[in-house]
Amino acid sequence: MTASSTTSRSPADGVRPQAPDPQAPDPRGAESRTAVIACGALAQHVSEITARRGWPVDVHPLPPLLHNHPERIAPEVETLARELSKRYATIAVGYADCGSYGTLDEVCRRLGIRRLAGSHCYDLFAGAERIRRLHKAEPGTYLLTDFLVRSFRRTILAELGLDRHPELREDYFRHYRRAVWLAQRPTPELRREAQAAADALGLPLRTVEVGDENLERELAQLIHP
Amino acid sequence: MTPDEILKGLYDKTLVGNGPAVLELTRTGLDTGMAPETMLFDALIPSLEEVGARFERGDFFVPEMLIAGKAMSGALEILRPLLAETGAHTVGTFLMGTVKGDVHDIGKNLVNIMLEGAGFHVIDLGVQVAPEKFVAAIGEHKPDIVGFSAFLTTTMPMFKANINALRKAGLRDSVVVMVGGAPVTQEYADAVGADGYAPDASATVKRAKEFMSQRRALATA
Ligand code: B12
């Protein structure tokens, strides 16, 4: 038994995760634990890292598909944070800016809580400087993570309508020259899936093994500043 | 088919992004002697405006927007030369591009379609347009308005870089600068010294037309 737990899991297919009932009494003494409100695309990694480190953290994921509707991220985080504040002394936000363009920062300021650094989850996995270099070397770079590879059908093909309208691939990806998979844990199966994803986009695949150490450092900053 | 049926068909088929049907109806309209302007202003543009409204409300997402835009674009291909012939005069020249480092272009392309529909001559420089390229194109085409589109927090600073480049080339006062894209706000536009901002394609057309009346008023003053 580890000190960390995920109160609910974000399924890889991007469906709204089962949110834990914020009103429910917490058997483990939530007042001494930290609630991390995490993007569904990061939640599993956050749970693994906090378990590994033995941090007293409960992960509360929000649907990863909010990524495509970033204007909804800040309000959803705020609602959940207000509910969780009834139970937890400490709340932290497991999101980068993620296209909320400053509105998530406003919520954090208002509630006196903090979020992960960076513009988006790619920065968290690979570091902002490395992402900058990847884009500088080839602006037509499309980034993948383990989460995106695993949930590719749902989060990319279906969301962009490429399942219904395959002819739109050109409209979306005409200016892209390569897919770069920022791999956390590249198993043979995931490698196959990443290749299939790149093939579906018509892009050559480059794999950069980044692991989750950078995210771990950022999390440590967030939870134990 | 009656004119009303053609117009209704054009509106409905554009809304659902049925490109082949829109093309067919455009041809039928022309065959029956319908004016290109009528098809444009009474069916195609209102339909794309409705698409934009549904997107705002969250009823449509990007793919629906894309297919509708493509359907309208197909009709414009046929209508464009005819509109030029009938002497529907050009409202103004709009030079457009996505800034350096950014390859998002769906929003920009939709803006272009609506601007063309509204009678602007649009020159699209595409994506990843460097400041020097904007400067050269402004020198060459002498547009009334230049538009910069950006979608990433890391590429928005290019607005400022572009504006500085225009200033350095002595072109800043010759052209109206508009900026847009998902992360952009009016405050940000003001902060970088742009003349105008618009949150969507319809608003861009409206704002661009206002700038054109101001320019005309200045020119005749
Ligand atoms: C579709 C999309 C894509 C498509 C782009 C296809 C294409 N050819 O453009 C794909 C899937 C390829 C893509 C790629 C990437 N994307 Co993207 N993408 C989006 C998404 C979901 C929608 C954007 C869009 O097209 N909207 C539809 C159009 C119609 O609306 P619009 O863009 O707002 O345009 C309107 C207005 O802005 C305005 N307008 C637009 N331009 C102009 C110009 C002027 C002058 C004016 C006046 C008005 C104006 O009028 C338009 C029409 O009404 C957004 C999230 C979102 N919901 O905004 C993320 C988003 C913009 N992307 C993002 C990211 C991170 C990326 C990638 C880095 C991801 C990756 N995995 O690699 C790459 C970018 C690589 C690169 N070098 O550019 C982030 C940016 C975050 C940030 N902090 O910067 C966002 C916010 C998603 C997120 N939540 O993280 N993306």
Side-chain angles (χ1 to χ4, degrees):
Chain A
M1 181 66 199
T2 63
S4 174
S5 69
T6 312
T7 34
S8 83
R9 258 259 171 113
S10 151
D13 68 357
V15 175
R16 194 189 168 96
Q18 284 267 308
D21 178 4
Q23 312 294 337
D26 185 76
R28 295 162 312 224
E31 57 287 346
S32 63
R33 300 172 66 82
T34 298
V36 174
I37 300 174
C39 168
L42 291 175
Q44 195 173 336
H45 297 287
V46 174
S47 303
E48 282 170 15
I49 292 167
T50 52
R52 199 156 75 208
R53 297 288 293 258
W55 293 331
V57 163
D58 293 329
V59 180
H60 294 260
L62 283 171
L65 288 182
L66 288 178
H67 164 98
N68 283 332
H69 305 276
E71 70 287 354
R72 294 191 209 148
I73 294 174
E76 296 248 0
V77 168
E78 177 159 16
T79 307
L80 186 52
R82 286 191 187 282
E83 284 172 16
L84 291 169
S85 67
K86 295 174 194 151
R87 285 205 296 139
Y88 290 89
T90 320
I91 295 172
V93 179
Y95 268 95
D97 174 70
C98 191
S100 67
Y101 303 126
T103 53
L104 188 55
D105 286 332
E106 264 165 48
V107 166
C108 288
R109 249 192 315 274
R110 208 162 45 235
L111 301 183
I113 57 182
R114 298 169 64 231
R115 70 159 169 90
L116 287 167
S119 312
H120 30 61
C121 57
Y122 318 109
D123 285 356
L124 291 170
F125 284 125
E129 179 50 30
R130 195 163 189 185
I131 297 297
R132 202 190 58 77
R133 281 203 307 270
L134 282 168
H135 275 134
K136 191 152 189 255
E138 174 50 86
T141 296
Y142 190 68
L143 300 167
L144 295 168
T145 59
D146 288 11
F147 173 82
L148 286 175
V149 166
R150 249 186 240 116
S151 64
F152 183 74
R153 295 203 149 275
R154 174 83 199 96
T155 49
I156 297 173
L157 287 188
E159 273 290 296
L160 297 180
L162 289 168
D163 50 352
R164 290 153 282 150
H165 305 283
E167 76 281 5
L168 295 182
R169 190 175 92 175
E170 263 294 285
D171 296 276
Y172 285 114
F173 291 97
R174 185 181 295 134
H175 302 295
Y176 288 81
R177 298 290 169 264
R178 64 173 182 180
V180 172
W181 173 29
L182 307 170
Q184 281 75 64
R185 215 159 282 159
T187 60
E189 191 200 345
L190 216 48
R191 281 182 194 279
R192 270 194 304 278
E193 287 181 53
Q195 188 59 54
D199 290 347
L201 301 177
L203 299 172
L205 177 71
R206 190 179 147 206
T207 303
V208 183
E209 294 190 23
V210 296
D212 62 6
E213 289 79 9
N214 201 77
L215 176 61
E216 181 169 344
R217 266 193 301 278
E218 296 295 342
L219 264 178
Q221 285 286 323
L222 181 73
I223 294 166
H224 299 293
Chain B
M1 270 181 123
T2 69
D4 274 352
E5 280 166 353
I6 294 172
L7 291 176
K8 183 166 185 319
L10 278 173
Y11 182 94
D12 292 344
K13 299 299 178 196
T14 303
L15 200 60
V16 297
N18 185 337
V22 172
L23 277 187
E24 188 58 42
L25 282 158
T26 306
R27 292 202 187 92
T28 310
L30 291 174
D31 289 346
T32 60
M34 190 178 277
E37 289 90 337
T38 308
M39 287 189 261
L40 196 58
F41 293 112
D42 294 347
L44 295 167
I45 291 179
S47 183
L48 213 60
E49 280 175 345
E50 174 60 19
V51 171
R54 290 189 186 191
F55 185 75
E56 274 307 301
R57 289 201 301 269
D59 297 341
F60 276 9
F61 190 50
V62 183
E64 290 80 16
M65 194 98 172
L66 246 184
I67 55 172
K70 286 180 71 152
M72 164 137 171
S73 185
L76 267 180
E77 288 290 315
I78 303 181
L79 297 179
R80 196 179 292 124
L82 302 170
L83 289 165
E85 259 170 42
T86 58
H89 66 283
T90 306
V91 180
T93 300
F94 201 116
L95 184 78
M96 180 71 113
T98 298
V99 301
K100 187 174 166 184
D102 207 324
V103 296
H104 285 89
D105 65 354
I106 295 172
K108 164 185 77 67
N109 295 345
L110 272 167
V111 172
N112 288 348
I113 294 170
M114 288 296 269
L115 282 170
E116 274 202 29
F120 278 87
H121 172 48
V122 178
I123 302 160
D124 184 2
L125 299 180
V127 298
Q128 275 226 68
V129 183
E132 314 82 75
K133 204 166 159 196
F134 275 115
V135 167
I138 290 169
E140 184 187 343
H141 300 288
K142 316 244 171 329
D144 299 287
I145 307 177
V146 59
F148 306 139
S149 187
F151 285 81
L152 300 167
T153 22
T154 47
T155 57
M156 285 164 77
M158 288 312 295
F159 290 161
K160 184 95 192 145
N162 288 343
I163 291 172
N164 286 343
L166 293 191
R167 197 163 286 135
K168 230 169 136 196
L171 291 168
R172 178 63 187 94
D173 296 330
S174 71
V175 68
V176 172
V177 173
M178 287 189 75
V179 295
V184 187
T185 58
Q186 183 66 56
E187 296 87 80
Y188 191 81
D190 294 342
V192 297
D195 300 306
Y197 154 79
D200 59 45
S202 303
T204 306
V205 169
K206 209 169 143 225
R207 199 76 187 87
K209 282 183 169 168
E210 285 166 13
F211 280 123
M212 289 314 298
S213 340
Q214 285 167 17
R215 271 171 90 83
R216 270 193 299 275
L218 274 178
T220 52

